[in-house]
């Protein structure tokens, strides 16, 4: 243990906390130091080839690809890392996490609670402890939620530094238990040109302006290992409730909704801009609200309103029965930056993966894409009609760069009704029971 004895002697209040944490056996041991003397939590190796084979099986059986492998650990500030006294009756704890060969790393804390005035900072680091080109993610007491968990966004590289700064008087109130490290082997940390095909279109590179609709779309990380697309929808109360919709097969449930990390503005501001690293404008944590199996639609509620820096818009929607004449999808293929795709011709009502037109079908069939396409990770993307309101959510299909094959989107209209609030959208998107067929987008007023 790298807690300095002379420091511990200065702060008797730490004894209570140390005793409580020592009651749980360690599953991972700190081993080694960085060049600047910080302790390192090493991790077992990950075989990326085996992980990719597992991904192929997941996709074939209807699942979504993973970008990371979950490594189980058990670490906390009382048994791991190094404490140092700071000025003005404060203390600083730090620990490096190193998973050799990782393209990205993210963390899961099963316990997260900080006293007033304390902050936890996580940043990609070099072996000598310097920041490795990414803005740090900082968390405080305001990031605590009822589920008591904290999931961090993926950061490029194979090393992270954790730094906890806290007042001495509040040390015994700290609850911080690191239980998973996610070793990224694909997606995050790779150049966008590697992640997605060459036929994709950036919204910033087309003549039409889709800024309003695009601002509703986020790149999602789920359980630290899966990725999908999601988007915000407006509701009849027009109150900015952070309802986010994605595909049901992305695997968000009541059990794991706290693990959702929504990353905003991972996109090009201009067509000439280069974007390889995900945006650092993110939020973490959600609660599951409803899911519709046939339409493959899930609705969750984010723990907090989106940060003002994200400049989000809550998309409008249309639950009319007829199929749209035109359609456009906005999505994040394979953890890549935001892209836009334009359907080729009118859509048809069908079942999933069916070519047969069906009145009241629970899916919308896009016969092919006139411009752009979809890929893995696009699942959960919104489909906008000619009036730029959401009518569907990407379930899946056969489209890719180089073909003109079909995709299927679960219909909002099909998911509107159900046996209970947990099986339908109506209660969440129409809390005032106004029963509109359409609702316009909401752009929150900047604070």
């Amino acid at each position: 243990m790298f807690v300095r004895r002379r420091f511990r002697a200065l702060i008797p209040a730490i004894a209570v906390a140390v005793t409580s944490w020592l009651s749980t056996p360690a599953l991972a041991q700190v081993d080694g130091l960085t060049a600047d003397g910080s302790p390192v939590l090493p991790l077992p190796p990950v075989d990326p080839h085996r992980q990719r084979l597992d991904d192929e099986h997941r996709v074939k059986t209807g699942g979504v690809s993973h970008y990371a492998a979950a490594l189980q650990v058990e670490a906390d500030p009382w048994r791991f890392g190094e404490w140092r006294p700071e000025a003005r009756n404060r203390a600083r704890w730090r620990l490096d996490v190193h998973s050799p060969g990782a393209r990205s790393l993210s963390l899961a804390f099963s316990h997260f609670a900080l006293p007033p005035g304390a902050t936890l900072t996580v940043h990609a680091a070099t072996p000598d402890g310097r920041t490795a080109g990414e803005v740090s993610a900082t968390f405080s007491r305001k990031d605590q939620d009822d589920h008591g968990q904290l999931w961090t966004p993926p950061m490029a590289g194979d090393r992270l530094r954790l730094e906890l700064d806290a007042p001495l008087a509040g040390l015994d109130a700290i609850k911080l238990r690191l239980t998973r490290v996610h070793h990224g082997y694909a997606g995050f940390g790779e150049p966008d040109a590697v992640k997605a095909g060459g036929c994709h279109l950036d919204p910033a590179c087309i003549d039409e302006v889709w800024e309003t609709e695009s601002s509703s779309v986020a790149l999602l990380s789920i359980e630290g290992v899966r990725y999908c697309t999601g988007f915000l929808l407006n509701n009849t109360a027009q109150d900015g409730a952070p309802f986010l919709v994605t595909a049901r097969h992305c695997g968000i449930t009541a059990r794991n909704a706290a693990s959702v990390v929504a990353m905003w503005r991972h996109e090009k501001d201009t067509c000439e801009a280069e974007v390889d690293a995900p945006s650092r404008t993110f939020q973490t944590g959600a609660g599951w609200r409803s899911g519709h199996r046939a339409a493959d639609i899930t609705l969750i509620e984010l723990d907090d309103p989106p940060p003002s820096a994200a400049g989000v818009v809550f998309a409008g929607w249309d639950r009319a029965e007829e199929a749209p004449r035109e359609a456009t999808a906005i999505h994040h293929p394979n953890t890549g930056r935001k892209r836009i795709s334009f359907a080729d011709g009118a859509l048809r009502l069908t079942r999933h993966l069916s070519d047969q037109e069906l009145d009241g079908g629970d899916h919308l069939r896009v016969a092919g894409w006139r411009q752009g396409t979809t890929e893995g990770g696009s699942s959960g993307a919104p489909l906008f009609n000619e009036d730029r309101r959401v009518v569907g959510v990407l379930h899946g299909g056969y489209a890719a760069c180089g073909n003109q094959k079909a995709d299927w989107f679960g219909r909002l209209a099909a998911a509107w009704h159900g046996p209970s609030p947990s099986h339908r959208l109506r209660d969440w998107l129409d809390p005032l029971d106004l029963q509109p067929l359409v609702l316009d987008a909401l752009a929150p007023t900047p604070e």
Side-chain angles (χ1 to χ4, degrees):
M1 182 166 56
F2 287 82
V3 179
R4 295 187 175 184
R5 295 184 181 277
R6 61 181 179 179
F7 176 53
R8 288 179 62 187
L10 293 175
I11 47 173
I14 204 172
V16 174
V18 171
T19 301
S20 65
W21 286 111
L22 285 177
S23 63
T24 304
L27 300 179
Q29 297 296 321
V30 173
D31 181 29
L33 298 172
T34 64
D36 69 342
S38 294
V40 181
L41 183 71
L43 298 162
V46 173
D47 182 352
H49 177 68
R50 174 60 185 271
Q51 297 297 325
R52 291 178 187 275
L53 290 177
D54 290 344
D55 271 342
E56 291 180 9
H57 176 72
R58 291 186 193 101
V59 174
K60 288 179 181 178
T61 55
V64 296
S65 294
H66 288 198
Y67 71 87
L71 306 177
Q72 303 295 325
V73 299
E74 188 75 22
D76 60 69
W78 313 120
R79 296 172 299 167
F80 300 88
E82 178 185 47
W83 281 101
R84 293 182 179 179
E86 296 285 331
R88 297 183 181 179
N89 297 317
R90 299 186 68 86
R92 182 180 296 271
W93 170 81
R94 65 182 182 181
L95 175 68
D96 278 30
V97 176
H98 184 209
S99 188
R103 294 186 178 275
S104 68
L105 290 175
S106 67
L107 308 173
F109 297 88
S110 63
H111 295 69
F112 175 75
L114 298 179
T119 58
L120 172 68
T121 301
V122 181
H123 63 77
T126 61
D128 60 2
R130 292 179 297 172
T131 301
E134 289 204 35
V135 177
S136 301
T138 300
F139 306 93
S140 65
R141 188 180 180 86
K142 67 179 178 61
D143 296 296
Q144 295 175 199
D145 290 292
D146 291 342
H147 48 67
Q149 302 174 43
L150 178 69
W151 297 70
T152 71
M155 294 185 178
D158 66 359
R159 186 184 297 269
L160 294 178
R161 169 158 290 188
L162 286 67
E163 292 187 309
L164 173 62
D165 182 79
L168 296 184
L171 291 182
D172 58 350
I174 293 171
K175 295 180 181 178
L176 191 66
R177 182 176 294 179
L178 176 65
T179 48
R180 285 190 7 173
V181 175
H182 308 110
H183 174 113
Y185 55 83
F188 297 106
E190 292 183 306
D192 262 353
V194 174
K195 291 184 242 185
C199 70
H200 287 288
L201 296 173
D202 289 275
C205 297
I206 60 175
D207 293 334
E208 292 183 80
V209 178
W210 283 83
E211 173 65 18
T212 296
E213 297 74 23
S214 178
S215 297
S216 70
V217 180
L219 170 57
L220 304 182
S221 171
I222 304 160
E223 291 192 295
V225 296
R226 297 192 302 282
Y227 55 91
C228 273
T229 300
F231 58 97
L232 294 168
L233 277 183
N234 193 15
N235 73 86
T236 56
Q238 304 272 353
D239 58 1
F243 292 132
L244 186 140
V245 172
T246 188
R248 185 178 181 273
H249 75 271
C250 291
I252 301 175
T253 66
R255 179 188 60 81
N256 65 20
S259 74
V260 173
V261 178
M263 288 161 275
W264 305 104
R265 296 288 178 181
H266 179 38
E267 60 192 12
K268 283 189 174 186
D269 293 328
T270 66
C271 192
E272 295 75 24
E274 293 186 9
V275 179
D276 285 329
S279 165
R280 293 297 95 199
T281 304
F282 72 93
Q283 62 188 109
T284 176
W288 184 87
R289 297 294 178 257
S290 72
H292 194 280
R293 181 183 296 273
D296 191 53
I297 292 176
T298 286
L299 182 146
I300 63 175
E301 185 172 1
L302 301 175
D303 284 343
D304 303 292
S308 57
V312 303
V313 169
F314 295 80
W317 44 263
D318 186 334
R319 62 182 186 90
E321 287 300 320
E322 60 269 16
R325 300 185 304 275
E326 302 173 7
T328 302
I330 301 177
H331 54 102
H332 286 280
N334 291 318
T335 77
R337 65 180 181 266
K338 197 174 293 178
R339 304 310 218 287
I340 189 167
S341 305
F342 297 96
D344 187 11
L347 282 65
R348 293 193 292 175
L349 305 184
T350 70
R351 300 293 188 194
H352 184 226
L353 301 182
S354 172
D355 295 330
Q356 183 176 356
E357 192 161 5
L358 177 67
D359 287 342
D362 47 37
H363 280 70
L364 289 163
R365 179 181 181 273
V366 174
W369 298 102
R370 172 170 50 88
Q371 290 180 285
T373 190
T374 62
E375 291 191 49
S378 302
S379 290
L383 185 71
F384 295 91
N385 65 8
E386 58 270 20
D387 297 316
R388 300 198 175 191
R389 299 188 182 104
V390 175
V391 292
V393 181
L394 182 58
H395 188 168
Y398 309 112
C401 285
N403 73 36
Q404 274 296 309
K405 295 185 178 181
D407 273 333
W408 284 262
F409 290 74
R411 294 176 61 219
L412 249 62
W416 191 256
H417 300 287
S420 71
S422 62
H423 295 85
R424 63 193 181 215
L425 298 177
R426 168 177 100 210
D427 305 76
W428 311 101
L429 301 184
D430 185 20
L432 302 184
D433 196 25
L434 302 179
Q435 302 182 36
L437 288 180
V438 301
L439 186 69
D440 289 334
L442 172 69
T445 302
E447 297 179 359

